[in-house]
Amino acid sequence: MIINFTVNGKSVSMDVMPQKRLLDFIREDLLLTGTKEGCAEGECGACTVILNKKAVHSCLTMTGQLDGGELMTVEGLEKDGELDVLQKMFIKKSAVQCGFCTSGMLMSAKALLMENPHPTQEEIKRAIAGNICRCGGYREIKEAVASAAEMEKEE
Amino acid sequence: MNSNYIQPRTRQELSQALGQMTENSRIIAGGTDLMASDHGRDSSTDLYISLFCLGDMAEIYREDGWVRIGAGAVHDAIEKNPIIQENFRALSMACSKVGSQQIRNKGTIGGNLVNASPAGDMLPCVCLFLGEVEILRADDTTYRMPARDFILGAGKTALKPKEALYAVWLPIQEGRSSTFVKLGSRKEVTIAQISMAVSWEKGEYFQKIEGYLGAVDTRPIYLEEMNHILSGRAVGREEREELVSSLRERIRVIRENRKRPPKLKITEAEQLYKERAVRSVVYDAIDQMEGES
Ligand SMILES: Cc1cc2nc3c(=O)[nH]c(=O)nc-3n(C[C@H](O)[C@H](O)[C@H](O)COP(=O)(O)OP(=O)(O)OC[C@H]3O[C@@H](n4cnc5c(N)ncnc54)[C@H](O)[C@@H]3O)c2cc1C
Ligand code: FES
Ligand code: FES
């Protein structure tokens, strides 16, 4: 099946296996390996990407569902060689330990800030409730997201 | 992985696709139930029909005293829809408590009802609001039936081969309020152990109370005792405890009549968990009702 979509702002037309998991398509066909596989059943959030401006699990999505859509992966955060403010704040606040949950966390946080640039603590907590960090750095992660929102406000 | 895949863009294309279904074909909406179980890799599936690009199926609007929720409407959209918040608060609340943001962004009301999990949060709400389901056939006609008759048991619905759930219709009932309580095994991103959906007529005291208990039996249970115990009076500790006793008894009977042992290996004390925990559900529900009135 030929599908048309954009990935990180670039238009693409590709012949795909529509029932393949979007997660596998992203990693194996688009060769974007920043998106991770954890549980493969919607529990851990490691595979989170932004599809049509919403955070979704790429492990529970079929590639065909991308047709006509807009996909953003963690690789799309960086613009012209400069990291997104969220990425900068994750580094600054030490919100990355082993890093396995990080791309999923970043995408959940990005989807939140796209819809709601000035979230409350509660809204940040809710947005990342489906992202599990085995290293347990939730406090730093929430601080990083709050600081990124603050920085955007100042700019 | 050689199954076919059709992604209709109009209702007519969907009906045509339904005509091609065999017993090995699957409909996929959000995929949050289906993909979690078969990963799209079930080699016996000959055809997937994806509802993801059917705009009309996701729409929510008011029509002739009813609110129509497309079967493809996702939990996040239902939660935030002003018509739902105003008329069916319990449903908006239930959607806000489904899984995580990622699940709410993709999981649909249609998938929830057709999956018919006893823990499905939409089931008690749609029953509470006297909802009807609209079903699409392969000849592009639809018919409606009460949601209560549609849900037959755990994983079982009245949907026939070559049919899709197209929309859910809820009649608008003026002057009523509602609320939803969910008790899970953890605070967030949790599957219901017990849920309760309640509606009542606004006034000095609660009147004409309707209630459903979810996740306790294979289908939502209608609680006729709620109205007897709580309506037309100031509700104190005595009424709360009377309702707790009644629900505890219902849960005990269901547990004792269960034919199959619980799937998980649990201790006897754990088996009694719901009977104990229903007290907090009753207290939370009444607190919320008082807060709303
Ligand atoms: C991590 C996680 C947490 C969850 N938490 C909750 C929760 O808190 N509460 C809750 O209730 N559920 C929960 N769920 C279950 C699930 O997300 C919901 O039931 C969701 O609403 C299913 O919708 P879907 O569109 O993703 O269904 P799908 O997976 O697409 O489909 C489910 C079933 O319904 C069929 N189907 C779907 N749409 C139609 C239609 N229109 N016509 C005919 N057949 C159809 C499919 O063939 C399939 O058999 C959770 C799931 C996960 C993975
Ligand atoms: S890999 Fe998708 S949620 Fe865990
Ligand atoms: S940083 Fe290790 S899992 Fe989150």
Side-chain angles (χ1 to χ4, degrees):
Chain A
M1 175 176 168
I2 300 203
I3 63 167
N4 299 296
F5 59 99
T6 67
V7 50
N8 301 330
K10 240 178 46 201
S11 297
V12 181
S13 181
M14 256 173 107
D15 194 359
V16 303
M17 214 174 331
Q19 67 278 34
K20 186 171 186 169
R21 289 188 313 171
L22 181 61
L23 171 62
D24 298 328
F25 174 72
I26 290 171
R27 292 180 56 88
E28 295 166 8
D29 300 290
L30 297 178
L31 301 174
L32 297 171
T33 53
T35 304
K36 304 296 178 206
E37 173 163 4
C39 64
E41 51 186 38
E43 294 282 350
C44 75
C47 68
T48 305
V49 294
I50 300 180
L51 177 58
N52 305 334
K53 305 201 162 50
K54 300 279 181 188
V56 301
H57 294 124
S58 59
C59 72
L60 301 183
T61 302
M62 284 195 184
T63 304
Q65 298 184 318
L66 186 57
D67 193 21
E70 220 179 90
L71 174 68
M72 184 177 182
T73 66
V74 70
E75 290 85 353
L77 286 175
E78 189 186 311
K79 289 271 156 9
D80 304 323
E82 193 180 342
L83 294 182
D84 187 89
V85 57
L86 266 169
Q87 291 169 304
K88 288 183 189 161
M89 287 302 126
F90 266 59
I91 296 167
K92 187 161 171 214
K93 298 280 172 184
S94 304
V96 182
Q97 293 180 60
C98 79
F100 199 80
C101 71
T102 308
S103 36
M105 284 286 181
L106 283 166
M107 298 324 277
S108 285
K110 184 71 185 174
L112 169 71
L113 297 188
M114 278 161 54
E115 192 173 321
N116 175 6
H118 309 302
T120 60
Q121 284 294 332
E122 206 37 55
E123 287 166 337
I124 294 174
K125 199 170 151 218
R126 190 170 186 243
I128 59 165
N131 292 78
I132 294 175
C133 174
R134 272 197 67 186
C135 303
Y138 295 105
R139 198 189 53 197
E140 291 78 6
I141 292 168
K142 280 182 267 183
E143 276 175 19
V145 180
S147 308
E150 247 341 274
M151 294 276 292
E152 295 273 33
K153 213 192 288 183
E154 281 164 23
E155 269 167 23
Chain B
M1 259 231 235
N2 288 323
S3 41
N4 287 318
Y5 182 96
I6 306 178
Q7 193 153 260
R9 300 219 168 233
T10 62
R11 181 175 125 168
Q12 215 180 0
E13 283 176 20
L14 172 59
S15 343
Q16 280 168 7
L18 292 177
Q20 298 179 33
M21 286 181 85
T22 70
E23 60 181 28
N24 292 323
S25 309
R26 300 275 171 275
I27 289 177
I28 171 167
T32 61
D33 273 316
L34 189 88
M35 294 284 283
S37 54
D38 91 352
H39 308 291
R41 287 183 196 145
D42 182 354
S43 55
S44 63
T45 303
D46 58 1
L47 169 66
Y48 285 104
I49 301 176
S50 159
L51 308 178
F52 200 67
C53 293
L54 263 157
D56 174 53
M57 224 173 167
E59 279 183 32
I60 302 172
Y61 52 81
R62 205 190 280 250
E63 194 177 289
D64 300 333
W66 293 74
V67 171
R68 180 264 197 194
I69 306 172
V74 297
H75 301 295
D76 184 71
I78 301 173
E79 173 198 342
K80 293 175 180 158
N81 185 284
I83 309 174
I84 305 292
Q85 287 172 341
E86 189 189 327
N87 297 286
F88 309 106
R89 184 168 167 267
L91 178 64
S92 165
M93 290 170 79
C95 286
S96 78
K97 294 176 202 286
V98 168
S100 56
Q101 188 60 54
Q102 294 95 317
I103 296 287
R104 291 190 296 276
N105 285 342
K106 205 135 176 292
T108 64
I109 188 168
N112 200 281
L113 294 177
V114 176
N115 205 46
S117 157
D121 289 321
M122 300 301 99
L123 280 61
C125 296
V126 172
C127 291
L128 177 75
F129 293 121
L130 308 173
E132 294 186 3
V133 293
E134 181 181 1
I135 294 167
L136 178 70
R137 302 188 187 97
D139 64 3
D140 203 26
T141 59
T142 68
Y143 65 98
R144 276 162 70 162
M145 68 158 77
R148 263 185 69 73
D149 299 338
F150 180 72
I151 307 292
L152 300 179
K156 290 196 201 99
T157 69
L159 201 69
K160 295 196 280 286
K162 299 181 193 277
E163 286 184 344
L165 177 57
Y166 200 69
V168 177
W169 293 80
L170 306 178
I172 295 176
Q173 298 170 282
E174 302 291 346
R176 291 184 71 82
S177 249
S178 63
T179 195
F180 179 83
V181 174
K182 171 170 169 176
L183 179 84
S185 47
R186 49 187 185 187
K187 245 168 115 188
E188 285 164 333
V189 196
T190 191
I191 303 289
Q193 296 277 352
I194 307 180
S195 64
M196 189 189 269
V198 189
S199 74
W200 65 95
E201 199 173 277
K202 290 189 230 175
E204 191 188 348
Y205 297 123
F206 308 127
Q207 301 281 2
K208 299 190 179 156
I209 305 166
E210 305 273 345
Y212 275 89
L213 204 57
V216 162
D217 205 351
T218 53
R219 305 168 62 204
I221 310 170
Y222 179 63
L223 304 174
E224 58 266 356
E225 63 267 53
M226 270 197 111
N227 192 50
H228 298 156
I229 299 172
L230 304 180
S231 81
R233 72 196 69 173
V235 174
R237 196 181 162 84
E238 200 181 313
E239 286 77 15
R240 291 174 183 232
E241 288 301 323
E242 191 181 340
L243 184 58
V244 169
S245 304
S246 170
L247 301 191
R248 192 167 277 168
E249 179 57 16
R250 278 179 180 270
I251 299 173
R252 187 190 65 78
V253 171
I254 292 163
R255 177 174 53 78
E256 290 191 346
N257 289 343
R258 194 176 287 140
K259 291 187 198 84
R260 278 181 297 149
K263 268 193 207 143
L264 298 170
K265 263 203 177 141
I266 52 176
T267 64
E268 205 173 321
E270 283 166 331
Q271 285 188 35
L272 300 177
Y273 169 72
K274 290 190 186 186
E275 276 142 84
R276 291 201 311 271
V278 75
R279 167 180 268 127
S280 84
V281 173
V282 166
Y283 273 68
D284 284 356
I286 296 174
D287 285 351
Q288 288 187 17
M289 289 168 76
E290 288 174 341
E292 236 325 84
S293 282

